[in-house]
Amino acid sequence: GQNIDQPTEMTATEGAIVQINCTYQTSGFNGLFWYQQHAGEAPTFLSYNVLDGLEEKGRFSSFLSRSKGYSYLLLKELQMKDSASYLCAVRGGGSYIPTFGRGTSLIVHP
Amino acid sequence: DTAVSQTPKYLVTQMGNDKSIKCEQNLGHDTMYWYKQDSKKFLKIMFSYNNKELIINETVPNRFSPKSPDKAHLNLHINSLELGDSAVYFCASSQGTSGVTDTQYFGPGTRLTVL
């Protein structure tokens, strides 16, 4: 199986930048996903990394280092609506089904 | 246009009852999933199914069974409900099973409360 570790909670100020880290251990790594989940809603896809480096999508960027078993999600120009849980999910171990971390609850305050 | 839909959204029932949750996707995807999200927000895979293969998480009790009448539907049947089954159940689908095409699209969730 996969071991995935994320901080439980983070707080940040509106307009700032925040970095949410995810570390993982798996054999046969085959992709890492980031999802956003607002309270009481379904997870929605944010980004996918399978090669080392940075993927940028508007205010959100995701980075992967396979050798370090490490990824981060970078959120710029934070808005109040970015308050949500951010889930890191890793695919590996010969399975096509991603395993989810416990998620990081991000609170954005004025 | 709802991509992945689930019914009901809320389900309150007594211990020992049998219940079903329905899931439909109109994305033309080949693979569907059921996840359980507990009170600690941990999202755990229960089943994955495409038209060729059913993958079962071995930790899921056999009181839970998926049923797929066709590629667009994957329903979840739960027998003899227990208090610990209380959680939010999410259905999801993906186009494929490799690369970015297996990005999962989630339904709105069904909040199950067992009394």
Side-chain angles (χ1 to χ4, degrees):
Chain A
Q2 292 90 42
N3 291 321
I4 301 171
D5 191 35
Q6 306 178 233
T8 303
E9 187 175 292
M10 299 182 70
T11 59
T13 305
E14 193 175 15
I17 299 173
V18 71
Q19 178 175 310
I20 302 174
N21 295 326
C22 172
T23 57
Y24 64 87
Q25 293 176 314
T26 186
S27 59
F29 173 83
N30 192 24
L32 185 145
F33 301 81
W34 283 97
Y35 285 81
Q36 180 191 60
Q37 185 178 23
H38 285 101
E41 297 183 9
T44 56
F45 171 76
L46 288 178
S47 68
Y48 171 76
N49 296 71
V50 67
L51 300 176
D52 292 349
L54 189 67
E55 296 281 341
E56 296 187 78
K57 269 188 177 184
R59 294 189 300 113
F60 293 7
S61 303
S62 58
F63 172 83
L64 175 67
S65 169
R66 289 172 295 172
S67 63
K68 295 181 180 179
Y70 168 69
S71 173
Y72 67 72
L73 181 70
L74 192 71
L75 292 75
K76 303 176 185 176
E77 301 170 15
L78 279 171
Q79 302 174 10
M80 298 297 289
K81 67 178 182 179
D82 296 331
S83 293
S85 183
Y86 291 86
L87 309 174
C88 173
V90 174
R91 185 174 56 208
S95 171
Y96 67 82
I97 304 172
T99 297
F100 283 80
R102 292 186 175 274
T104 298
S105 178
L106 174 65
I107 301 169
V108 179
H109 55 82
Chain B
D1 290 343
T2 303
V4 183
S5 59
Q6 294 178 230
T7 54
K9 188 167 176 61
Y10 299 96
L11 182 55
V12 181
T13 188
Q14 299 286 332
M15 278 177 55
N17 285 350
D18 302 338
K19 291 292 179 184
S20 295
I21 306 172
K22 294 185 177 181
C23 178
E24 176 182 2
Q25 53 96 4
N26 62 6
L27 298 167
H29 286 171
D30 289 330
T31 307
M32 296 184 73
Y33 311 79
W34 275 106
Y35 283 87
K36 178 181 180 180
Q37 189 169 45
D38 60 24
S39 57
K40 296 182 179 179
K41 308 301 181 186
F42 205 177
L43 202 60
K44 293 183 180 178
I45 184 70
M46 299 178 71
F47 304 101
S48 171
Y49 186 81
N50 62 25
N51 55 12
K52 299 176 184 177
E53 183 179 26
L54 171 66
I55 295 177
I56 302 172
N57 183 333
E58 59 187 17
T59 66
V60 175
N62 58 14
R63 298 181 294 103
F64 291 79
S65 58
K67 287 185 169 53
S68 180
D70 54 58
K71 198 173 80 166
H73 297 83
L74 183 65
N75 303 325
L76 182 65
H77 294 265
I78 316 170
N79 294 325
S80 302
L81 278 156
E82 300 178 357
L83 293 176
D85 298 334
S86 295
V88 180
Y89 292 83
F90 285 101
C91 177
S93 72
S94 65
Q95 175 61 52
T97 57
S98 64
V100 72
T101 61
D102 77 352
T103 297
Q104 293 166 314
Y105 294 83
F106 285 82
T110 297
R111 182 173 293 277
L112 171 65
T113 303
V114 182
L115 303 176

